[in-house]
C-alpha cells in the first residue's frame, strides 16, 4: 500500500519524490509487489468470497500497470536532479527555479525548467515557471551550478 501511495502521489500530482531510494521503492515496488500480493491472496485465503474480495485491488493495480506499460514505469523511476539553480525566492529559502535533468537509461536524459518548493530533503512540489519571472521582485537571478548527483 505504501509503494502504491508513493507512486500515485509522484505520478499523478505535483508532489514529487526527490530521494532516488524512495522513488525506486515506489516504482519497482508496485511492479513486484502487486503480482506477489495478488497470487498470495489467491493462495492464502480458503473461501472463494475472500479470494475475490482481497484480489480486486491488486488486480486493478496490475491492470493499471499494464495500461501504463512496465517500460514507461521503469523509465520514469529515476529522480529529477538539480543541475542549475536559476532563481531563488527572496522571501522563502525553500522556493527556487531550477534546471533539472532525469536519467532515462539508454534513452538519454530528460530536461526541464521548473519552480520547485522543497517540503523536505525527500519531497518537493513542482510547478511551471511564470513567464514574467524576470519582472517579479521576489525572484533573484543567481545562475548557480549545482549538479546534484545524489
Amino acid at each position: 500500500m505504501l509503494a502504491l501511495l508513493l507512486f500515485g502521489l509522484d505520478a499523478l500530482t505535483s508532489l514529487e519524490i526527490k530521494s532516488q531510494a524512495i522513488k525506486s521503492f515506489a516504482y519497482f515496488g508496485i511492479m513486484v509487489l502487486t503480482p506477489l500480493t495478488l497470487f498470495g491472496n489467491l493462495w492464502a485465503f480458503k473461501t472463494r468470497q475472500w479470494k475475490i474480495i482481497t484480489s480486486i485491488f491488486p488486480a486493478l493495480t496490475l491492470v493499471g500497470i499494464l495500461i501504463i506499460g512496465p517500460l514507461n514505469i521503469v523509465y520514469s523511476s529515476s529522480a529529477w536532479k538539480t543541475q542549475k539553480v536559476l532563481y531563488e525566492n527572496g522571501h522563502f529559502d525553500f522556493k527556487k527555479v531550477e534546471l533539472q535533468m532525469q536519467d532515462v537509461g539508454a534513452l538519454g536524459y530528460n530536461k526541464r525548467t521548473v519552480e520547485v518548493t522543497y517540503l523536505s530533503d525527500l519531497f518537493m512540489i513542482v510547478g511551471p515557471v511564470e513567464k514574467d519571472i524576470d519582472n517579479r521582485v521576489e525572484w533573484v537571478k543567481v545562475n548557480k551550478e549545482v549538479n546534484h548527483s545524489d
Side-chain angles (χ1 to χ4, degrees), residues 87-92 130 132-141:
Y87 294 90
E88 291 179 343
N89 191 294
H91 303 296
F92 302 108
E130 300 162 348
D132 63 341
I133 195 164
D134 286 325
N135 300 329
R136 311 283 306 255
V137 293
E138 67 267 19
W139 292 105
V140 178
K141 190 169 191 156

Side-chain angles (χ1 to χ4, degrees), residues 3 17 19-31 77-79:
I17 301 170
S19 167
Q20 182 61 54
I22 294 173
K23 191 159 185 172
S24 293
F25 166 75
Y27 279 63
F28 292 113
I30 64 156
M31 291 195 339
S77 67
S78 181

Side-chain angles (χ1 to χ4, degrees), residues 16-148:
E16 290 195 12
I17 301 170
K18 184 170 172 46
S19 167
Q20 182 61 54
I22 294 173
K23 191 159 185 172
S24 293
F25 166 75
Y27 279 63
F28 292 113
I30 64 156
M31 291 195 339
V32 172
L33 296 175
T34 298
L36 290 176
T37 303
L38 179 62
F39 293 124
N41 289 347
L42 291 173
W43 179 75
F45 291 102
K46 302 290 184 220
T47 66
R48 180 182 299 180
Q49 179 183 6
W50 277 109
K51 285 183 182 192
I52 292 171
I53 291 170
T54 59
S55 299
I56 291 172
F57 192 67
L60 291 175
T61 304
L62 188 59
V63 168
I65 290 170
L66 294 174
I67 290 171
I68 295 171
L71 280 179
N72 288 335
I73 294 173
V74 169
Y75 291 144
S76 301
S77 67
S78 181
W80 288 91
K81 294 182 179 30
T82 303
Q83 299 300 309
K84 191 175 195 180
V85 177
L86 303 173
Y87 294 90
E88 291 179 343
N89 191 294
H91 303 296
F92 302 108
D93 293 340
F94 54 87
K95 290 184 81 169
K96 299 175 181 178
V97 173
E98 298 177 348
L99 171 66
Q100 297 180 338
M101 294 180 75
Q102 179 187 41
D103 184 4
V104 286
L107 299 178
Y109 291 90
N110 290 330
K111 289 183 183 181
R112 69 180 183 182
T113 301
V114 290
E115 183 179 323
V116 180
T117 304
Y118 287 99
L119 302 176
S120 70
D121 290 338
L122 305 176
F123 300 99
M124 60 187 172
I125 296 175
V126 177
V129 179
E130 300 162 348
K131 295 194 185 295
D132 63 341
I133 195 164
D134 286 325
N135 300 329
R136 311 283 306 255
V137 293
E138 67 267 19
W139 292 105
V140 178
K141 190 169 191 156
V142 291
N143 282 332
K144 188 181 348 177
E145 293 288 334
V146 177
N147 197 11
H148 279 180

